[in-house]
Amino acid sequence: MANSTETPAERAHRTIHAGGEWLAASSGATREILDPADARPFAVIAEGDEKDTDLAVAAARRAFDTGEWPHTPVAERAALLRRVADLLVRDREPLGLLESRDAGKTVEEGRVDIDCVADAFRYFADLVAGEAPGRVVDAGSPDIHSVVVHEPVGVCAMITPWNYPLLQASWKIAPALAAGNTFVIKPSEITPMTTVALIDLLTEAGLPAGVANIVTGPGHSVGARLAEHPDVDLVSFTGGLISGTKVAQAAAVTVKKVALELGGKNPNVVFADACETEEGFDTAVDQALNAAFIHSGQVCSAGGRLIVEESVRERFVAELARRAAKIRLGRGTEDGVECGPLVSAQQRAKTEDYVASALAEGAELRCGGKRPEPSPQRPETGYFYEPTVLDNCHREMKVVREEVFGPVLTVETFRTEDEAVALANDTEYGLAGAVWTADAGRARRVAGRLRHGTVWINDFHPYLPQAEWGGFGKSGVGRELGPAGLAEYRESKHVYQNLAPKPVRWFAG
């Protein structure tokens, strides 16, 4: 990856990978990557643009059209994905630390992310390795052989978010490679470092040159160019609704395949019967904290809307606020820290605006609502914000309607099961939600009525690589993970063979 004559600074600037080579930006532009815990730069990367994007797409196009990867036997592709998983396990500690510094999360969260990335590569390796070569279609005649086969879609553009940089990249890269595609990925310009590192691991695992390409740079140039590029066959985007809409509009011009995961406004519905025992009450409160405040709430499936039955609201919210106020904030690399900073000054300012609007609209502040006092674990320059609980909220509030992506939990109440379902579904999003109840029949009824792509019963946040992930409504289109996640990166082809051809005689002459 490096040559013997370049300095470490020169090497650091070469984070664009096209056709098997690491390159600096064609313009020479660079960007500093800041540690959100203290706002200090800890890395410098290339700042690519449209020209760099075209170069990477051309490399991916050549590798698909004339290269070996699309025609590599499935068993060999699966073996490479397993080698990547092994390398991720080998590098778990440095990658987990890098993810922590990049995104601000705790090192333990970073380690868990690396484990999940390895799991994704292994899952898609096993999935393709165990598949039948095609689906035989009964044509009603022994003289007809009819089969549906699946082929790679081609050159895939991937645009990933800043909150789970490597995990979100793996959800796209692993199935794309398993299916035989080539790709160009644009990680978030805020948190690109682990995705850059993954490209090195793919090369080390033996992936042919040109199959994996990366352009580090901003969305308005690199992302926009990928979405509109005529040589891109599919664009997969994870991020905000506004940006995702622009991606879909740009992709529509060339009628390419599109997969969008656009976040959510996720309800966590707690029935009183879930809290009848002390163990049940403790578990529901603990999980409500996890739902809202893991990674400072910067999670697309964060349970930021607590919808609790009125009869237990006061006790539940009081205990929730008490525990939220005790969450230990600090630099993610420090021992004992439970929650890190927000990813950027912009994200913290956005969170502050949402809290201010909620209070102006009548919400009651139960805890948080401000920046914490500085400490050795929390430098004043870091982007820290206290976990915040807002009580007495209602659907008309901006903070209830829109995705905050910060450590903010709103509280709404209900009296009946129908009212609970109506509140939970009263959102333009539909990514995930949960229901807490001791009544198994109610659990199944409510889960069946919730219009969300993932529904947890008496739990929050777990996912399985073998189960599809995606949402209803404005949470996006398409699915990641599971068999459907692999299908996003394939085209279906029907091959119909007549084993005994003869004249049709449709035309007499």
Side-chain angles (χ1 to χ4, degrees), residues 35-39 104 296 328-332 337 339-345 348 352 370-387 407:
D35 185 334
D38 57 18
S296 293
R328 295 191 292 273
L329 298 180
R331 187 189 297 272
V337 167
C339 198
L342 293 172
V343 76
S344 65
R348 182 173 62 180
E352 290 173 326
K370 65 183 187 299
R371 302 179 186 186
E373 290 296 319
S375 73
Q377 292 78 30
R378 294 190 301 270
E380 187 173 7
T381 52
Y383 308 130
F384 295 97
Y385 194 78
E386 292 182 353

Side-chain angles (χ1 to χ4, degrees), residues 141-145 496-504:
S141 168
D143 293 332
I144 302 299
H145 180 262
Y496 179 104
Q497 182 180 8
N498 190 336
L499 302 175
K502 56 186 177 182
V504 177

Side-chain angles (χ1 to χ4, degrees), residues 351-437:
T351 300
E352 290 173 326
D353 287 345
Y354 273 112
V355 173
S357 73
L359 297 177
E361 292 175 316
E364 177 188 354
L365 182 66
R366 299 295 293 262
C367 72
K370 65 183 187 299
R371 302 179 186 186
E373 290 296 319
S375 73
Q377 292 78 30
R378 294 190 301 270
E380 187 173 7
T381 52
Y383 308 130
F384 295 97
Y385 194 78
E386 292 182 353
T388 300
V389 177
L390 297 169
D391 201 358
N392 295 318
C393 294
H394 54 79
R395 184 66 182 88
E396 286 68 37
M397 290 178 174
K398 178 181 177 182
V399 73
V400 175
R401 295 193 314 271
E402 299 180 9
E403 188 175 35
V404 177
F405 238 61
V408 177
L409 177 66
T410 63
V411 181
E412 303 163 78
T413 59
F414 67 91
R415 294 182 180 179
T416 68
E417 183 178 310
D418 285 344
E419 186 181 2
V421 171
L423 283 171
N425 284 336
D426 190 9
T427 172
E428 62 183 5
Y429 295 100
L431 183 60
V435 53
W436 289 83
T437 178

